[in-house]
mmCIF file with all atom_site columns, all heavy atoms in Angstrom:
data_model
loop_
_atom_site.group_PDB
_atom_site.id
_atom_site.type_symbol
_atom_site.label_atom_id
_atom_site.label_alt_id
_atom_site.label_comp_id
_atom_site.label_asym_id
_atom_site.label_entity_id
_atom_site.label_seq_id
_atom_site.pdbx_PDB_ins_code
_atom_site.Cartn_x
_atom_site.Cartn_y
_atom_site.Cartn_z
_atom_site.occupancy
_atom_site.B_iso_or_equiv
_atom_site.pdbx_formal_charge
_atom_site.auth_seq_id
_atom_site.auth_comp_id
_atom_site.auth_asym_id
_atom_site.auth_atom_id
_atom_site.pdbx_PDB_model_num
ATOM 1   N N   . ALA A 1 233 ? -258.091 93.559  -50.083 1.00 98.00 ? 233 ALA A N   1
ATOM 2   C CA  . ALA A 1 233 ? -256.822 92.899  -49.704 1.00 98.00 ? 233 ALA A CA  1
ATOM 3   C C   . ALA A 1 233 ? -256.068 93.845  -48.746 1.00 98.00 ? 233 ALA A C   1
ATOM 4   O O   . ALA A 1 233 ? -256.450 95.011  -48.488 1.00 98.00 ? 233 ALA A O   1
ATOM 5   C CB  . ALA A 1 233 ? -255.976 92.696  -50.924 1.00 98.00 ? 233 ALA A CB  1
ATOM 6   N N   . ARG A 1 234 ? -254.988 93.294  -48.167 1.00 98.00 ? 234 ARG A N   1
ATOM 7   C CA  . ARG A 1 234 ? -254.167 94.057  -47.187 1.00 98.00 ? 234 ARG A CA  1
ATOM 8   C C   . ARG A 1 234 ? -252.719 93.959  -47.581 1.00 98.00 ? 234 ARG A C   1
ATOM 9   O O   . ARG A 1 234 ? -252.255 92.930  -48.089 1.00 98.00 ? 234 ARG A O   1
ATOM 10  C CB  . ARG A 1 234 ? -254.381 93.512  -45.766 1.00 98.00 ? 234 ARG A CB  1
ATOM 11  C CG  . ARG A 1 234 ? -255.807 93.603  -45.254 1.00 98.00 ? 234 ARG A CG  1
ATOM 12  C CD  . ARG A 1 234 ? -255.946 92.835  -43.935 1.00 98.00 ? 234 ARG A CD  1
ATOM 13  N NE  . ARG A 1 234 ? -257.266 92.995  -43.343 1.00 98.00 ? 234 ARG A NE  1
ATOM 14  C CZ  . ARG A 1 234 ? -258.345 92.239  -43.594 1.00 98.00 ? 234 ARG A CZ  1
ATOM 15  N NH1 . ARG A 1 234 ? -258.230 91.235  -44.435 1.00 98.00 ? 234 ARG A NH1 1
ATOM 16  N NH2 . ARG A 1 234 ? -259.477 92.457  -42.976 1.00 98.00 ? 234 ARG A NH2 1
ATOM 17  N N   . LEU A 1 235 ? -251.963 95.034  -47.315 1.00 98.00 ? 235 LEU A N   1
ATOM 18  C CA  . LEU A 1 235 ? -250.521 95.088  -47.579 1.00 98.00 ? 235 LEU A CA  1
ATOM 19  C C   . LEU A 1 235 ? -249.765 94.844  -46.307 1.00 98.00 ? 235 LEU A C   1
ATOM 20  O O   . LEU A 1 235 ? -250.089 95.405  -45.254 1.00 98.00 ? 235 LEU A O   1
ATOM 21  C CB  . LEU A 1 235 ? -250.139 96.459  -48.154 1.00 98.00 ? 235 LEU A CB  1
ATOM 22  C CG  . LEU A 1 235 ? -248.637 96.622  -48.472 1.00 98.00 ? 235 LEU A CG  1
ATOM 23  C CD1 . LEU A 1 235 ? -248.284 95.891  -49.716 1.00 98.00 ? 235 LEU A CD1 1
ATOM 24  C CD2 . LEU A 1 235 ? -248.296 98.113  -48.577 1.00 98.00 ? 235 LEU A CD2 1
ATOM 25  N N   . ILE A 1 236 ? -248.691 94.081  -46.400 1.00 98.00 ? 236 ILE A N   1
ATOM 26  C CA  . ILE A 1 236 ? -247.755 93.876  -45.273 1.00 98.00 ? 236 ILE A CA  1
ATOM 27  C C   . ILE A 1 236 ? -246.363 94.279  -45.747 1.00 98.00 ? 236 ILE A C   1
ATOM 28  O O   . ILE A 1 236 ? -245.907 93.817  -46.788 1.00 98.00 ? 236 ILE A O   1
ATOM 29  C CB  . ILE A 1 236 ? -247.712 92.401  -44.817 1.00 98.00 ? 236 ILE A CB  1
ATOM 30  C CG1 . ILE A 1 236 ? -249.131 91.911  -44.380 1.00 98.00 ? 236 ILE A CG1 1
ATOM 31  C CG2 . ILE A 1 236 ? -246.694 92.228  -43.650 1.00 98.00 ? 236 ILE A CG2 1
ATOM 32  C CD1 . ILE A 1 236 ? -249.681 92.614  -43.206 1.00 98.00 ? 236 ILE A CD1 1
ATOM 33  N N   . ASN A 1 237 ? -245.720 95.197  -44.998 1.00 98.00 ? 237 ASN A N   1
ATOM 34  C CA  . ASN A 1 237 ? -244.356 95.582  -45.379 1.00 98.00 ? 237 ASN A CA  1
ATOM 35  C C   . ASN A 1 237 ? -243.427 95.471  -44.157 1.00 98.00 ? 237 ASN A C   1
ATOM 36  O O   . ASN A 1 237 ? -243.466 96.287  -43.251 1.00 98.00 ? 237 ASN A O   1
ATOM 37  C CB  . ASN A 1 237 ? -244.331 97.023  -45.897 1.00 98.00 ? 237 ASN A CB  1
ATOM 38  C CG  . ASN A 1 237 ? -242.937 97.417  -46.432 1.00 98.00 ? 237 ASN A CG  1
ATOM 39  O OD1 . ASN A 1 237 ? -242.063 96.560  -46.585 1.00 98.00 ? 237 ASN A OD1 1
ATOM 40  N ND2 . ASN A 1 237 ? -242.733 98.681  -46.714 1.00 98.00 ? 237 ASN A ND2 1
ATOM 41  N N   . THR A 1 238 ? -242.601 94.445  -44.183 1.00 98.00 ? 238 THR A N   1
ATOM 42  C CA  . THR A 1 238 ? -241.555 94.271  -43.179 1.00 98.00 ? 238 THR A CA  1
ATOM 43  C C   . THR A 1 238 ? -240.181 94.405  -43.819 1.00 98.00 ? 238 THR A C   1
ATOM 44  O O   . THR A 1 238 ? -239.180 94.047  -43.209 1.00 98.00 ? 238 THR A O   1
ATOM 45  C CB  . THR A 1 238 ? -241.679 92.919  -42.449 1.00 98.00 ? 238 THR A CB  1
ATOM 46  O OG1 . THR A 1 238 ? -241.647 91.872  -43.444 1.00 98.00 ? 238 THR A OG1 1
ATOM 47  C CG2 . THR A 1 238 ? -242.945 92.818  -41.642 1.00 98.00 ? 238 THR A CG2 1
ATOM 48  N N   . ALA A 1 239 ? -240.126 94.878  -45.061 1.00 96.00 ? 239 ALA A N   1
ATOM 49  C CA  . ALA A 1 239 ? -238.875 94.994  -45.810 1.00 96.00 ? 239 ALA A CA  1
ATOM 50  C C   . ALA A 1 239 ? -238.310 96.389  -45.611 1.00 96.00 ? 239 ALA A C   1
ATOM 51  O O   . ALA A 1 239 ? -237.530 96.635  -44.671 1.00 96.00 ? 239 ALA A O   1
ATOM 52  C CB  . ALA A 1 239 ? -239.101 94.661  -47.271 1.00 96.00 ? 239 ALA A CB  1
ATOM 53  N N   . ARG A 1 240 ? -238.682 97.323  -46.501 1.00 95.00 ? 240 ARG A N   1
ATOM 54  C CA  . ARG A 1 240 ? -238.176 98.697  -46.389 1.00 95.00 ? 240 ARG A CA  1
ATOM 55  C C   . ARG A 1 240 ? -239.309 99.635  -46.839 1.00 95.00 ? 240 ARG A C   1
ATOM 56  O O   . ARG A 1 240 ? -240.011 99.377  -47.790 1.00 95.00 ? 240 ARG A O   1
ATOM 57  C CB  . ARG A 1 240 ? -236.948 98.896  -47.269 1.00 95.00 ? 240 ARG A CB  1
ATOM 58  C CG  . ARG A 1 240 ? -235.668 98.461  -46.619 1.00 95.00 ? 240 ARG A CG  1
ATOM 59  C CD  . ARG A 1 240 ? -235.350 99.417  -45.380 1.00 95.00 ? 240 ARG A CD  1
ATOM 60  N NE  . ARG A 1 240 ? -234.094 99.081  -44.725 1.00 95.00 ? 240 ARG A NE  1
ATOM 61  C CZ  . ARG A 1 240 ? -233.929 98.203  -43.777 1.00 95.00 ? 240 ARG A CZ  1
ATOM 62  N NH1 . ARG A 1 240 ? -234.950 97.495  -43.355 1.00 95.00 ? 240 ARG A NH1 1
ATOM 63  N NH2 . ARG A 1 240 ? -232.714 98.017  -43.238 1.00 95.00 ? 240 ARG A NH2 1
ATOM 64  N N   . GLY A 1 241 ? -239.390 100.770 -46.180 1.00 97.00 ? 241 GLY A N   1
ATOM 65  C CA  . GLY A 1 241 ? -240.390 101.779 -46.519 1.00 97.00 ? 241 GLY A CA  1
ATOM 66  C C   . GLY A 1 241 ? -240.230 102.331 -47.922 1.00 97.00 ? 241 GLY A C   1
ATOM 67  O O   . GLY A 1 241 ? -241.209 102.746 -48.557 1.00 97.00 ? 241 GLY A O   1
ATOM 68  N N   . GLU A 1 242 ? -238.995 102.323 -48.434 1.00 97.00 ? 242 GLU A N   1
ATOM 69  C CA  . GLU A 1 242 ? -238.761 102.872 -49.796 1.00 97.00 ? 242 GLU A CA  1
ATOM 70  C C   . GLU A 1 242 ? -239.420 102.086 -50.878 1.00 97.00 ? 242 GLU A C   1
ATOM 71  O O   . GLU A 1 242 ? -239.562 102.578 -52.017 1.00 97.00 ? 242 GLU A O   1
ATOM 72  C CB  . GLU A 1 242 ? -237.262 102.907 -50.034 1.00 97.00 ? 242 GLU A CB  1
ATOM 73  C CG  . GLU A 1 242 ? -236.480 103.966 -49.258 1.00 97.00 ? 242 GLU A CG  1
ATOM 74  C CD  . GLU A 1 242 ? -236.084 103.489 -47.865 1.00 97.00 ? 242 GLU A CD  1
ATOM 75  O OE1 . GLU A 1 242 ? -236.472 102.341 -47.470 1.00 97.00 ? 242 GLU A OE1 1
ATOM 76  O OE2 . GLU A 1 242 ? -235.355 104.215 -47.158 1.00 97.00 ? 242 GLU A OE2 1
ATOM 77  N N   . LEU A 1 243 ? -239.925 100.903 -50.563 1.00 98.00 ? 243 LEU A N   1
ATOM 78  C CA  . LEU A 1 243 ? -240.655 100.088 -51.559 1.00 98.00 ? 243 LEU A CA  1
ATOM 79  C C   . LEU A 1 243 ? -242.049 100.645 -51.834 1.00 98.00 ? 243 LEU A C   1
ATOM 80  O O   . LEU A 1 243 ? -242.634 100.362 -52.886 1.00 98.00 ? 243 LEU A O   1
ATOM 81  C CB  . LEU A 1 243 ? -240.799 98.648  -51.096 1.00 98.00 ? 243 LEU A CB  1
ATOM 82  C CG  . LEU A 1 243 ? -239.517 97.856  -50.848 1.00 98.00 ? 243 LEU A CG  1
ATOM 83  C CD1 . LEU A 1 243 ? -239.850 96.512  -50.219 1.00 98.00 ? 243 LEU A CD1 1
ATOM 84  C CD2 . LEU A 1 243 ? -238.739 97.673  -52.136 1.00 98.00 ? 243 LEU A CD2 1
ATOM 85  N N   . VAL A 1 244 ? -242.541 101.500 -50.953 1.00 98.00 ? 244 VAL A N   1
ATOM 86  C CA  . VAL A 1 244 ? -243.943 101.956 -51.011 1.00 98.00 ? 244 VAL A CA  1
ATOM 87  C C   . VAL A 1 244 ? -244.030 103.460 -51.290 1.00 98.00 ? 244 VAL A C   1
ATOM 88  O O   . VAL A 1 244 ? -243.285 104.249 -50.670 1.00 98.00 ? 244 VAL A O   1
ATOM 89  C CB  . VAL A 1 244 ? -244.671 101.649 -49.693 1.00 98.00 ? 244 VAL A CB  1
ATOM 90  C CG1 . VAL A 1 244 ? -246.077 102.165 -49.683 1.00 98.00 ? 244 VAL A CG1 1
ATOM 91  C CG2 . VAL A 1 244 ? -244.647 100.135 -49.398 1.00 98.00 ? 244 VAL A CG2 1
ATOM 92  N N   . ASP A 1 245 ? -244.886 103.816 -52.217 1.00 98.00 ? 245 ASP A N   1
ATOM 93  C CA  . ASP A 1 245 ? -245.214 105.241 -52.377 1.00 98.00 ? 245 ASP A CA  1
ATOM 94  C C   . ASP A 1 245 ? -246.303 105.599 -51.362 1.00 98.00 ? 245 ASP A C   1
ATOM 95  O O   . ASP A 1 245 ? -247.436 105.124 -51.437 1.00 98.00 ? 245 ASP A O   1
ATOM 96  C CB  . ASP A 1 245 ? -245.732 105.467 -53.794 1.00 98.00 ? 245 ASP A CB  1
ATOM 97  C CG  . ASP A 1 245 ? -246.137 106.909 -54.037 1.00 98.00 ? 245 ASP A CG  1
ATOM 98  O OD1 . ASP A 1 245 ? -245.246 107.743 -54.177 1.00 98.00 ? 245 ASP A OD1 1
ATOM 99  O OD2 . ASP A 1 245 ? -247.353 107.187 -54.026 1.00 98.00 ? 245 ASP A OD2 1
ATOM 100 N N   . ASN A 1 246 ? -245.985 106.401 -50.414 1.00 98.00 ? 246 ASN A N   1
ATOM 101 C CA  . ASN A 1 246 ? -246.845 106.680 -49.287 1.00 98.00 ? 246 ASN A CA  1
ATOM 102 C C   . ASN A 1 246 ? -248.168 107.268 -49.725 1.00 98.00 ? 246 ASN A C   1
ATOM 103 O O   . ASN A 1 246 ? -249.236 106.886 -49.227 1.00 98.00 ? 246 ASN A O   1
ATOM 104 C CB  . ASN A 1 246 ? -246.157 107.613 -48.295 1.00 98.00 ? 246 ASN A CB  1
ATOM 105 C CG  . ASN A 1 246 ? -245.036 106.943 -47.530 1.00 98.00 ? 246 ASN A CG  1
ATOM 106 O OD1 . ASN A 1 246 ? -244.974 105.716 -47.431 1.00 98.00 ? 246 ASN A OD1 1
ATOM 107 N ND2 . ASN A 1 246 ? -244.110 107.725 -47.002 1.00 98.00 ? 246 ASN A ND2 1
ATOM 108 N N   . ALA A 1 247 ? -248.144 108.215 -50.632 1.00 98.00 ? 247 ALA A N   1
ATOM 109 C CA  . ALA A 1 247 ? -249.365 108.904 -51.061 1.00 98.00 ? 247 ALA A CA  1
ATOM 110 C C   . ALA A 1 247 ? -250.299 107.921 -51.734 1.00 98.00 ? 247 ALA A C   1
ATOM 111 O O   . ALA A 1 247 ? -251.516 107.995 -51.518 1.00 98.00 ? 247 ALA A O   1
ATOM 112 C CB  . ALA A 1 247 ? -249.045 110.037 -52.023 1.00 98.00 ? 247 ALA A CB  1
ATOM 113 N N   . SER A 1 248 ? -249.755 106.975 -52.470 1.00 98.00 ? 248 SER A N   1
ATOM 114 C CA  . SER A 1 248 ? -250.611 105.979 -53.178 1.00 98.00 ? 248 SER A CA  1
ATOM 115 C C   . SER A 1 248 ? -251.229 105.027 -52.165 1.00 98.00 ? 248 SER A C   1
ATOM 116 O O   . SER A 1 248 ? -252.409 104.618 -52.308 1.00 98.00 ? 248 SER A O   1
ATOM 117 C CB  . SER A 1 248 ? -249.790 105.192 -54.169 1.00 98.00 ? 248 SER A CB  1
ATOM 118 O OG  . SER A 1 248 ? -249.303 106.003 -55.195 1.00 98.00 ? 248 SER A OG  1
ATOM 119 N N   . LEU A 1 249 ? -250.497 104.664 -51.124 1.00 98.00 ? 249 LEU A N   1
ATOM 120 C CA  . LEU A 1 249 ? -251.021 103.796 -50.085 1.00 98.00 ? 249 LEU A CA  1
ATOM 121 C C   . LEU A 1 249 ? -252.151 104.511 -49.317 1.00 98.00 ? 249 LEU A C   1
ATOM 122 O O   . LEU A 1 249 ? -253.206 103.889 -49.014 1.00 98.00 ? 249 LEU A O   1
ATOM 123 C CB  . LEU A 1 249 ? -249.946 103.327 -49.136 1.00 98.00 ? 249 LEU A CB  1
ATOM 124 C CG  . LEU A 1 249 ? -250.395 102.436 -47.990 1.00 98.00 ? 249 LEU A CG  1
ATOM 125 C CD1 . LEU A 1 249 ? -251.163 101.210 -48.483 1.00 98.00 ? 249 LEU A CD1 1
ATOM 126 C CD2 . LEU A 1 249 ? -249.211 101.985 -47.146 1.00 98.00 ? 249 LEU A CD2 1
ATOM 127 N N   . VAL A 1 250 ? -251.977 105.747 -49.012 1.00 98.00 ? 250 VAL A N   1
ATOM 128 C CA  . VAL A 1 250 ? -252.992 106.557 -48.320 1.00 98.00 ? 250 VAL A CA  1
ATOM 129 C C   . VAL A 1 250 ? -254.286 106.528 -49.164 1.00 98.00 ? 250 VAL A C   1
ATOM 130 O O   . VAL A 1 250 ? -255.357 106.299 -48.648 1.00 98.00 ? 250 VAL A O   1
ATOM 131 C CB  . VAL A 1 250 ? -252.484 108.006 -48.098 1.00 98.00 ? 250 VAL A CB  1
ATOM 132 C CG1 . VAL A 1 250 ? -253.683 108.885 -47.691 1.00 98.00 ? 250 VAL A CG1 1
ATOM 133 C CG2 . VAL A 1 250 ? -251.442 108.035 -46.996 1.00 98.00 ? 250 VAL A CG2 1
ATOM 134 N N   . LYS A 1 251 ? -254.116 106.793 -50.473 1.00 98.00 ? 251 LYS A N   1
ATOM 135 C CA  . LYS A 1 251 ? -255.262 106.840 -51.344 1.00 98.00 ? 251 LYS A CA  1
ATOM 136 C C   . LYS A 1 251 ? -256.023 105.510 -51.345 1.00 98.00 ? 251 LYS A C   1
ATOM 137 O O   . LYS A 1 251 ? -257.257 105.457 -51.327 1.00 98.00 ? 251 LYS A O   1
ATOM 138 C CB  . LYS A 1 251 ? -254.835 107.204 -52.763 1.00 98.00 ? 251 LYS A CB  1
ATOM 139 C CG  . LYS A 1 251 ? -255.985 107.349 -53.758 1.00 98.00 ? 251 LYS A CG  1
ATOM 140 C CD  . LYS A 1 251 ? -255.457 107.793 -55.134 1.00 98.00 ? 251 LYS A CD  1
ATOM 141 C CE  . LYS A 1 251 ? -256.564 107.927 -56.156 1.00 98.00 ? 251 LYS A CE  1
ATOM 142 N NZ  . LYS A 1 251 ? -256.061 108.354 -57.494 1.00 98.00 ? 251 LYS A NZ  1
ATOM 143 N N   . ALA A 1 252 ? -255.294 104.393 -51.441 1.00 98.00 ? 252 ALA A N   1
ATOM 144 C CA  . ALA A 1 252 ? -255.884 103.081 -51.493 1.00 98.00 ? 252 ALA A CA  1
ATOM 145 C C   . ALA A 1 252 ? -256.586 102.722 -50.161 1.00 98.00 ? 252 ALA A C   1
ATOM 146 O O   . ALA A 1 252 ? -257.619 102.017 -50.171 1.00 98.00 ? 252 ALA A O   1
ATOM 147 C CB  . ALA A 1 252 ? -254.807 102.050 -51.789 1.00 98.00 ? 252 ALA A CB  1
ATOM 148 N N   . LEU A 1 253 ? -256.056 103.174 -49.048 1.00 98.00 ? 253 LEU A N   1
ATOM 149 C CA  . LEU A 1 253 ? -256.693 102.956 -47.758 1.00 98.00 ? 253 LEU A CA  1
ATOM 150 C C   . LEU A 1 253 ? -257.931 103.812 -47.577 1.00 98.00 ? 253 LEU A C   1
ATOM 151 O O   . LEU A 1 253 ? -258.993 103.339 -47.132 1.00 98.00 ? 253 LEU A O   1
ATOM 152 C CB  . LEU A 1 253 ? -255.680 103.226 -46.618 1.00 98.00 ? 253 LEU A CB  1
ATOM 153 C CG  . LEU A 1 253 ? -254.562 102.219 -46.480 1.00 98.00 ? 253 LEU A CG  1
ATOM 154 C CD1 . LEU A 1 253 ? -253.446 102.745 -45.614 1.00 98.00 ? 253 LEU A CD1 1
ATOM 155 C CD2 . LEU A 1 253 ? -255.100 100.870 -45.906 1.00 98.00 ? 253 LEU A CD2 1
#
Side-chain angles (χ1 to χ4, degrees):
R234 298 171 175 90
L235 178 76
I236 302 295
N237 186 11
T238 55
R240 276 294 183 272
E242 289 85 355
L243 298 173
V244 177
D245 178 76
N246 291 338
S248 297
L249 179 54
V250 167
K251 183 177 179 180
L253 289 165

